[in-house]
Every structure is written in structure tokens, then in C-alpha cells.
Amino acid sequence: MTNVANAVEMRGIVKRFPGVLANDHVDFDLRAGEIHALLGENGAGKSTLMSVLAGLYRPEAGTILARGKAVTFNSPRDANARGIGMIHQHFSLIPSQTVTENILLGLDEPRFFLRLPDYDQRMSELGQRFGMAVSPTARIWQLSVGEQQRVEILKMLYRGVEVLIMDEPTAVLAPLEIDGLFETLRAMVADGKSIVFISHKLNEIMRVADRVTVLRQGKVTAAGIPTSETSIPELARLMVGRSVIFDLE
């Protein structure tokens, strides 16, 4: 039975590539107003599953529900129209253009007679709302990696995204930038957004996520465990299939 409190549900998702079963009848749900971590080793199927949700891939089998209604996505634009967006490890920004120009790029409106100062103000206000300080008039090449990530987030927020998928978002960030990102994610959740946080970093998942789903070799080994009810050693065991002794530093 569908839980209408879920922002997204994925049921029995199957995705194959030549010689690889990337997702083997995977179930996943994301509640409204939570950070749900998707944990697994490289090749576990995390990014593939979320690329299906974001409209980049079509699954061979399975159902996607957004706010309780079955949906089919043929492109990321379709997913955006349903309030779902994904930010990848490698950003898709144009270095020579400004922050505002990058955020507006690809939208149907506005097309002509842009009054960029008006839009600069909108972007500034949006950034302030979620604690993301970035100059709307700065060109992308002038920004740090962390600031560029903020632009990608603002791009999704400006498109009205309610479900934001972030693929290994801390991989490119310095420690202080990670702190800032987590503050931003919490501000977004407080505003009613829902976040999928794809990672293999156990300490970060325990720090930022409300729940965690673990994938191993394309299958779910744990579904939606509250992080308050698990531990780093247990998540490591679920991720690799055996007990692990490791240095947490």
C-alpha cells in the first residue's frame, strides 16, 4: 500500500547494462522532509538507481511513484517537472557565464530581454534563504569548488525541486565546505525538501542522515534503517557482507 507521506517510492527496480545487473529488483522510499543516505561500495548500484529516479536511465522493470502517483521519466527534464533533481559529482556549469546565467540556462522562461539585475536579486535571496552565500554576478571560473556546488543546488531549487539527489557530494569538498554543505541540507529539510545522499563514507552518513539504505552488488541489504538505531561497524558489515576492522580516521 502506498504511503502518501513518502516523497518518492521505487518498487522492484531492475536496470541492466551489457553483462551487468546493476539494480536487481530494488525497493527504495524517501519520506518527505528527511535525508536518506544510499550507502554502498563503488559498483553497488547506488548512482544507477538514482539515475533511474532522475530520468537519466529507463529501468527494465519496476515502478516509480512521486507523491503516491506512478510516473515515467524519459529525461531529467521530466523528473524536474515532478520536483526531482540530481546533482552529479562532476558539475555541468559554464565557466565563462555568471552564477545567475548558469541557473537560468535551459529554462523555457525567460528567453528574451533578460533583466539580469532582477534575476541576480532573486538568486541572492534564494541563496540567503538556505544559507548559501554566493555572488550572483560572479563568473563560475572565479568560484571555489564548494561555491560551484552551491550554484548547482541553487539551480535545482530555482526549478522548484522538492527531492534533491546528491551523488557523493563531499568527494570534492574541503572539511569546512563539508560542514557548510551539511548545514545547507538541514536548512532544506527544515523547509520541507527531501534529500537522497549517495555516499560510501560511513562517518558522514551517521552524521547527516536520518535513515540509510544499503546496496551490495545491486541488491538491498538493509532498507531505511534509522541511523540512530545502527552503527558504523554494522553498516560496514551490511555494505561488504562481512565484519570489517578499519581505522575511522
Side-chain angles (χ1 to χ4, degrees), residues 1 8 14 49 54 58 60 73 102 109-110 132 145 160 165 176 179-180 192 197 216 220 222-223 229 245:
M1 185 173 179
V8 165
V14 175
L49 182 69
R58 289 286 302 273
E60 279 71 45
F73 300 144
N102 270 273
E109 297 292 339
M132 289 184 286
V145 173
I165 304 160
L176 284 178
D179 292 341
F197 186 90
R216 184 170 74 243
V220 174
E229 298 176 10
I245 300 174

Short mmCIF file of all heavy atoms in Angstrom, two decimals, residues 1 8 14 49 54 58 60 73 102 109-110 132 145 160 165 176 179-180 192 197 216 220 222-223 229 245:
data_model
loop_
_atom_site.label_atom_id
_atom_site.label_comp_id
_atom_site.label_asym_id
_atom_site.label_seq_id
_atom_site.Cartn_x
_atom_site.Cartn_y
_atom_site.Cartn_z
N MET A 1 0.85 -1.20 0.00
CA MET A 1 0.00 0.00 0.00
C MET A 1 0.88 1.24 0.00
O MET A 1 1.86 1.32 0.74
CB MET A 1 -0.92 0.01 1.22
CG MET A 1 -1.91 1.16 1.24
SD MET A 1 -3.10 0.97 2.61
CE MET A 1 -4.06 2.45 2.35
N VAL A 8 8.91 9.94 -2.49
CA VAL A 8 9.24 9.06 -3.61
C VAL A 8 9.21 7.61 -3.15
O VAL A 8 9.61 7.31 -2.02
CB VAL A 8 10.65 9.39 -4.17
CG1 VAL A 8 11.15 8.28 -5.08
CG2 VAL A 8 10.65 10.71 -4.92
N VAL A 14 14.65 -2.73 -11.79
CA VAL A 14 15.66 -3.55 -12.45
C VAL A 14 16.32 -2.69 -13.52
O VAL A 14 15.64 -2.11 -14.38
CB VAL A 14 15.05 -4.81 -13.09
CG1 VAL A 14 16.11 -5.58 -13.88
CG2 VAL A 14 14.41 -5.69 -12.04
N LEU A 49 20.72 3.53 -9.58
CA LEU A 49 19.34 3.60 -9.06
C LEU A 49 18.83 5.04 -9.06
O LEU A 49 17.71 5.32 -9.49
CB LEU A 49 19.29 3.03 -7.65
CG LEU A 49 17.91 2.99 -7.01
CD1 LEU A 49 17.01 1.98 -7.70
CD2 LEU A 49 18.01 2.68 -5.51
N ALA A 54 16.15 10.02 -11.48
CA ALA A 54 16.36 11.36 -12.04
C ALA A 54 16.06 11.45 -13.54
O ALA A 54 16.23 12.51 -14.14
CB ALA A 54 17.80 11.82 -11.78
N ARG A 58 16.15 4.54 -18.18
CA ARG A 58 14.86 3.88 -18.09
C ARG A 58 15.08 2.47 -17.55
O ARG A 58 15.91 1.73 -18.07
CB ARG A 58 14.19 3.80 -19.47
CG ARG A 58 13.69 5.12 -20.01
CD ARG A 58 12.44 5.60 -19.30
NE ARG A 58 11.34 4.65 -19.40
CZ ARG A 58 10.48 4.61 -20.41
NH1 ARG A 58 10.60 5.45 -21.43
NH2 ARG A 58 9.50 3.72 -20.42
N GLU A 60 14.38 -1.55 -16.78
CA GLU A 60 13.76 -2.66 -17.50
C GLU A 60 12.49 -3.14 -16.80
O GLU A 60 11.61 -3.73 -17.42
CB GLU A 60 14.75 -3.83 -17.63
CG GLU A 60 15.77 -3.69 -18.76
CD GLU A 60 16.81 -2.63 -18.49
OE1 GLU A 60 17.35 -2.59 -17.37
OE2 GLU A 60 17.09 -1.82 -19.41
N PHE A 73 9.65 8.62 -16.40
CA PHE A 73 10.53 9.70 -16.82
C PHE A 73 11.31 9.29 -18.06
O PHE A 73 11.94 8.24 -18.08
CB PHE A 73 11.51 10.06 -15.70
CG PHE A 73 10.85 10.51 -14.42
CD1 PHE A 73 11.39 10.16 -13.19
CD2 PHE A 73 9.70 11.28 -14.45
CE1 PHE A 73 10.80 10.57 -12.01
CE2 PHE A 73 9.09 11.69 -13.27
CZ PHE A 73 9.64 11.34 -12.05
N ASN A 102 24.00 30.78 -15.33
CA ASN A 102 24.04 29.31 -15.26
C ASN A 102 22.74 28.75 -14.69
O ASN A 102 22.25 27.71 -15.14
CB ASN A 102 25.23 28.85 -14.43
CG ASN A 102 26.48 28.63 -15.26
OD1 ASN A 102 26.70 27.55 -15.81
ND2 ASN A 102 27.30 29.68 -15.37
N GLU A 109 11.55 29.87 -19.76
CA GLU A 109 11.38 31.30 -19.50
C GLU A 109 12.42 31.72 -18.46
O GLU A 109 12.68 30.98 -17.51
CB GLU A 109 9.97 31.59 -18.97
CG GLU A 109 8.86 31.25 -19.95
CD GLU A 109 8.84 32.14 -21.18
OE1 GLU A 109 9.42 33.25 -21.10
OE2 GLU A 109 8.25 31.74 -22.19
N PRO A 110 12.99 32.90 -18.56
CA PRO A 110 12.79 33.87 -19.62
C PRO A 110 13.67 33.57 -20.84
O PRO A 110 14.70 32.93 -20.69
CB PRO A 110 13.22 35.17 -18.96
CG PRO A 110 14.31 34.74 -18.02
CD PRO A 110 13.91 33.38 -17.51
N MET A 132 23.37 29.76 1.64
CA MET A 132 24.39 29.52 0.61
C MET A 132 24.84 30.85 0.02
O MET A 132 24.25 31.36 -0.93
CB MET A 132 23.83 28.61 -0.50
CG MET A 132 23.62 27.19 -0.06
SD MET A 132 23.06 26.13 -1.43
CE MET A 132 21.36 26.69 -1.60
N VAL A 145 35.35 25.24 -5.60
CA VAL A 145 34.53 24.06 -5.89
C VAL A 145 33.28 24.03 -5.02
O VAL A 145 32.18 23.71 -5.48
CB VAL A 145 35.36 22.77 -5.69
CG1 VAL A 145 34.48 21.54 -5.84
CG2 VAL A 145 36.51 22.71 -6.69
N GLY A 160 12.29 24.53 -8.65
CA GLY A 160 11.20 24.02 -7.83
C GLY A 160 11.36 22.60 -7.36
O GLY A 160 10.38 21.95 -6.98
N ILE A 165 18.72 14.80 -5.18
CA ILE A 165 19.65 13.67 -5.11
C ILE A 165 21.06 14.21 -5.24
O ILE A 165 21.37 14.91 -6.21
CB ILE A 165 19.37 12.67 -6.25
CG1 ILE A 165 17.92 12.20 -6.22
CG2 ILE A 165 20.33 11.49 -6.17
CD1 ILE A 165 17.46 11.61 -7.55
N LEU A 176 35.81 22.22 5.87
CA LEU A 176 34.93 23.33 6.22
C LEU A 176 33.77 23.44 5.24
O LEU A 176 32.65 23.81 5.62
CB LEU A 176 35.71 24.65 6.27
CG LEU A 176 36.60 24.86 7.50
CD1 LEU A 176 37.34 26.19 7.39
CD2 LEU A 176 35.77 24.82 8.78
N ASP A 179 31.11 20.94 6.23
CA ASP A 179 30.28 21.48 7.31
C ASP A 179 29.20 22.40 6.75
O ASP A 179 28.03 22.32 7.15
CB ASP A 179 31.13 22.24 8.32
CG ASP A 179 32.07 21.34 9.11
OD1 ASP A 179 31.83 20.11 9.14
OD2 ASP A 179 33.04 21.86 9.68
N GLY A 180 29.60 23.26 5.82
CA GLY A 180 28.64 24.18 5.22
C GLY A 180 27.57 23.47 4.42
O GLY A 180 26.39 23.84 4.46
N GLY A 192 11.14 21.60 4.20
CA GLY A 192 10.24 20.60 3.64
C GLY A 192 10.79 19.80 2.48
O GLY A 192 10.10 18.94 1.93
N PHE A 197 21.19 11.19 -0.19
CA PHE A 197 22.62 11.46 -0.01
C PHE A 197 23.37 10.18 -0.35
O PHE A 197 23.44 9.24 0.46
CB PHE A 197 22.86 11.88 1.45
CG PHE A 197 24.25 12.33 1.77
CD1 PHE A 197 24.61 13.66 1.65
CD2 PHE A 197 25.20 11.43 2.24
CE1 PHE A 197 25.90 14.08 1.97
CE2 PHE A 197 26.48 11.83 2.57
CZ PHE A 197 26.83 13.17 2.43
N ARG A 216 24.36 -3.75 -1.99
CA ARG A 216 25.56 -4.54 -2.25
C ARG A 216 25.31 -5.38 -3.49
O ARG A 216 24.33 -6.12 -3.56
CB ARG A 216 25.89 -5.45 -1.06
CG ARG A 216 27.19 -6.22 -1.26
CD ARG A 216 27.63 -6.94 0.00
NE ARG A 216 26.82 -8.12 0.29
CZ ARG A 216 26.07 -8.26 1.38
NH1 ARG A 216 26.01 -7.28 2.28
NH2 ARG A 216 25.38 -9.35 1.57
N VAL A 220 19.41 -4.74 -2.25
CA VAL A 220 19.27 -4.08 -0.96
C VAL A 220 19.62 -5.06 0.16
O VAL A 220 19.05 -6.16 0.23
CB VAL A 220 17.83 -3.56 -0.77
CG1 VAL A 220 17.65 -3.01 0.65
CG2 VAL A 220 17.50 -2.49 -1.79
N ALA A 222 19.87 -3.67 3.42
CA ALA A 222 19.18 -3.04 4.55
C ALA A 222 18.38 -1.87 4.01
O ALA A 222 18.92 -1.06 3.24
CB ALA A 222 20.17 -2.57 5.61
N ALA A 223 17.11 -1.77 4.38
CA ALA A 223 16.22 -0.77 3.80
C ALA A 223 15.73 0.21 4.86
O ALA A 223 15.03 -0.18 5.81
CB ALA A 223 15.03 -1.45 3.14
N GLU A 229 19.63 3.92 15.10
CA GLU A 229 19.48 2.53 15.52
C GLU A 229 20.55 1.61 14.92
O GLU A 229 20.41 0.38 14.96
CB GLU A 229 18.08 2.02 15.15
CG GLU A 229 16.96 2.77 15.84
CD GLU A 229 15.58 2.32 15.39
OE1 GLU A 229 15.49 1.29 14.69
OE2 GLU A 229 14.59 3.01 15.74
N ILE A 245 37.26 -4.62 10.17
CA ILE A 245 38.06 -3.88 11.14
C ILE A 245 38.78 -2.78 10.36
O ILE A 245 39.50 -3.05 9.40
CB ILE A 245 39.09 -4.79 11.84
CG1 ILE A 245 38.36 -5.92 12.59
CG2 ILE A 245 39.97 -3.98 12.79
CD1 ILE A 245 39.30 -6.94 13.18
#
